[in-house]
Amino acid sequence: MLDGGSPAPEIQSARRRGIAFACGSVALFSSFAISSRLGLTTGLTLPDIAALRFGIGGLLLSPFLFKYGLGGVRLLQAVKLALLGGLAFAMFAYAGFKLAPVAHSGILLHGTLSLTTFFLTRALGAGEARTQFGAGLAAALLGIAAATWDGLNKASPGLLAGDLCLLLASLSWSGYGIYVRQLRLPAPHAAAIVTAVSALLFLPVYIALPGTRMLQAGWQDLLIQGTFQGVLTGTVSILVYTRAVTLLGPAKVSLFTTAVPAVTTITGLILLNEPPTLPTLAGVVLVTLGTLISLRQSL
């Protein structure tokens, strides 16, 4: 700290860079939901999209793994990273995207990250769960309740299963953010471990699965999904999010991601023609309000 209580210039610089990376995560997470929803309306199946994500991502980041190896990370830790930030997160998310409206995905996946990170941090004693986030988290919780009520009101088993998958994806991603900071891994190294280990675990299973359609899909669908899933969300988003977490911490970064519901809902209305219901719209407003309150208190 400098005289007068102002943060040192290097701390201010790290904070600015962290905010920039966190904002980048918002854009990438929104594109993840929209592109996945679009992909699942084509001839591609859920395993096809997952294979593109892990196959292309693992290929792009493999040079980092060849250069650094596991870098002191034990095999079990590498598998845990891959499950939290790769396989579990992606498979739950894709299932949720398929079964629930895109507006629900914005609220129940990315909109809940502040809550799941808060509660996981408290449960694990990671030391970053702050009571000053309370008002913002309360508003976010009300927004999530509104979206959940929307699902219960429609009483569709598929929709309810989709909402549950989105919540499990949020829990997985929060766990990844906390765990990767505990291991103190550089962003490229962590992303390489996640994508490469996920590819090694998933691709052999994918090859053996019946009913996959990648070879029958149009080249336009493969190009779009390969770019979004393999490059942007399977590679760049992990790098950007991990760097943001390194600079700001998982609790603060998770607050930024609660801006995703508003962006996703608006984009879904324009590109997918999926207008939100009134409870879902209320959920988006409350979650976004919670973001603004929490960011004002924490940054």
Side-chain angles (χ1 to χ4, degrees):
M1 299 286 286
L2 297 176
D3 292 340
S6 298
E10 59 271 19
I11 296 176
Q12 291 179 325
S13 175
R15 181 179 296 177
R16 285 194 295 268
R17 285 182 284 121
I19 290 172
F21 281 113
C23 290
S25 294
V26 171
L28 289 165
F29 287 162
S30 296
S31 70
F32 172 48
I34 297 297
S35 64
S36 298
R37 183 77 169 164
L38 283 170
L40 290 167
T41 62
T42 68
L44 294 170
T45 65
L46 190 155
D48 293 328
I49 293 177
L52 288 170
R53 176 189 179 100
F54 298 130
I56 296 174
L59 184 64
L60 290 175
L61 290 172
S62 59
F64 289 103
L65 204 59
F66 290 140
K67 181 176 181 180
Y68 299 109
L70 292 182
V73 176
R74 295 193 298 273
L75 181 59
L76 183 59
Q77 292 174 321
V79 171
K80 189 183 296 186
L81 277 174
L83 290 175
L84 291 172
L87 280 172
F89 167 73
M91 300 309 287
F92 282 133
Y94 289 141
F97 295 152
K98 184 174 181 64
L99 296 171
V102 71
H104 280 216
S105 70
I107 297 173
L108 297 176
L109 198 172
H110 300 109
T112 59
L113 282 175
S114 58
L115 283 171
T116 52
T117 301
F118 178 84
F119 290 121
L120 273 180
T121 302
R122 289 290 295 269
L124 298 173
E128 282 199 45
R130 303 179 183 179
T131 55
Q132 69 186 50
F133 294 166
L137 290 173
L141 185 59
L142 288 174
I144 293 160
T148 304
W149 169 255
D150 187 40
L152 291 172
N153 190 41
K154 292 180 179 178
S156 164
L159 176 57
L160 293 176
D163 286 350
L164 177 60
C165 286
L166 293 169
L167 289 171
L168 291 173
S170 173
L171 193 65
S172 298
W173 193 252
S174 292
Y176 168 73
I178 294 170
Y179 193 53
V180 75
R181 201 181 196 212
Q182 288 177 344
L183 294 178
R184 300 183 182 277
L185 289 174
H189 192 194
I193 290 175
V194 168
T195 54
V197 175
S198 295
L200 289 173
L201 292 174
F202 179 75
L203 292 180
V205 176
Y206 171 77
I207 293 172
L209 285 175
T212 56
R213 303 175 186 172
M214 191 180 297
L215 295 179
Q216 288 78 43
W219 68 267
Q220 298 96 331
D221 293 333
L222 290 176
L223 178 61
I224 292 171
Q225 292 303 313
T227 300
F228 277 97
Q229 303 297 335
V231 179
L232 293 179
T233 62
T235 304
V236 177
S237 69
I238 299 176
L239 288 166
V240 170
Y241 183 81
T242 304
R243 186 59 177 152
V245 164
T246 302
L247 292 167
L248 294 179
K252 289 181 180 178
V253 175
S254 69
L255 294 172
F256 279 87
T257 60
T258 47
V260 172
V263 178
T264 303
T265 300
I266 294 170
T267 309
L269 176 61
I270 296 171
L271 296 181
L272 301 176
N273 194 28
E274 290 188 10
T277 63
L278 286 178
T280 300
L281 189 59
V284 170
V285 172
L286 286 167
V287 166
T288 305
L289 179 63
T291 303
L292 296 175
I293 293 171
S294 298
L295 286 176
R296 182 180 177 85
Q297 293 175 334
S298 63
L299 293 177

